[in-house]
Amino acid sequence: MAIKLATANDLEWVNAQYQKIDFVPSSFDNEIIAIVTYNDDFAGVGRIVYLNDEEVEIGGIYILDEFRGLSLANELVGYLVETAKKKNLKAVYCLPFENLKTFYQRFGFNEFEHDASQVNEKVMKKHQWCLDNYDAKVLLLKLVDDC
């Protein structure tokens, strides 16, 4: 298992994975894209999306079916969280499906008291879109400062 940062040559593969699961395509305009490998095969992908200079969203976590059960999502999310922490950001958000709440809490994400004026507008819009378009409930989580 290893984590590598995606290059321009990897972007077609990354977006082919996201297309399979109806996620928004990636670009290098405002993202750090990480690929998790297993035995030198691309096994999954995730990203940090910059909302502005001080706020990001960690998301787009996807492990290919044939690589599930190998704890690769743990490695990938851990890498993304550690990368975000090194940036000294004001806020790190995540919008997981409700059944993944415990998984993301292990990395320091929690639900938090908020109103729309306290949360980045892009995250609020995406959260509402998710609530409107997915059958499963989507949570709005934030990385706690003391993790």
Side-chain angles (χ1 to χ4, degrees):
M1 189 289 312
I3 304 284
K4 72 170 244 130
L5 291 179
T7 66
N9 292 335
D10 301 322
L11 195 57
E12 184 177 340
W13 179 86
V14 167
N15 286 329
Q17 306 320 302
Y18 285 150
Q19 185 176 17
K20 285 190 228 175
I21 55 172
D22 293 326
F23 278 15
V24 173
S26 272
S27 75
F28 291 113
D29 294 341
N30 64 334
E31 298 180 22
I32 296 172
I33 306 163
I35 297 171
V36 62
T37 62
Y38 187 79
N39 292 335
D40 295 324
D41 291 324
F42 285 7
V45 62
R47 57 192 169 192
I48 298 172
V49 178
Y50 278 85
L51 305 166
N52 57 43
D53 290 341
E54 298 180 317
E55 298 173 292
V56 299
E57 177 208 351
I58 290 179
I61 309 302
Y62 176 63
I63 304 297
L64 282 68
D65 290 343
E66 60 267 34
F67 297 100
R68 296 205 175 160
L70 301 172
S71 297
L72 298 179
N74 282 313
E75 298 296 328
L76 183 57
V77 173
Y79 173 84
L80 293 171
V81 167
E82 288 307 310
T83 299
K85 283 181 179 180
K86 291 175 186 173
K87 306 287 185 191
N88 295 319
L89 300 160
K90 183 176 101 177
V92 178
Y93 299 102
C94 185
L95 300 169
F97 292 113
E98 185 175 37
N99 65 311
L100 296 172
K101 179 179 179 178
T102 304
F103 173 79
Y104 282 95
Q105 284 178 324
R106 284 187 268 165
F107 298 97
F109 286 98
N110 282 302
E111 292 183 271
F112 59 102
E113 295 282 329
H114 69 277
D115 63 43
S117 68
Q118 298 172 315
V119 178
N120 183 286
E121 182 180 348
K122 292 176 188 173
V123 168
M124 291 301 295
K125 284 182 180 179
K126 183 175 179 183
H127 185 236
Q128 190 58 55
W129 184 92
C130 291
L131 292 174
D132 293 342
N133 287 279
Y134 292 126
D135 292 334
K137 183 177 178 185
V138 175
L139 303 174
L140 172 56
L141 305 180
K142 186 176 178 182
L143 194 63
V144 294
D145 295 334
D146 59 350
C147 60

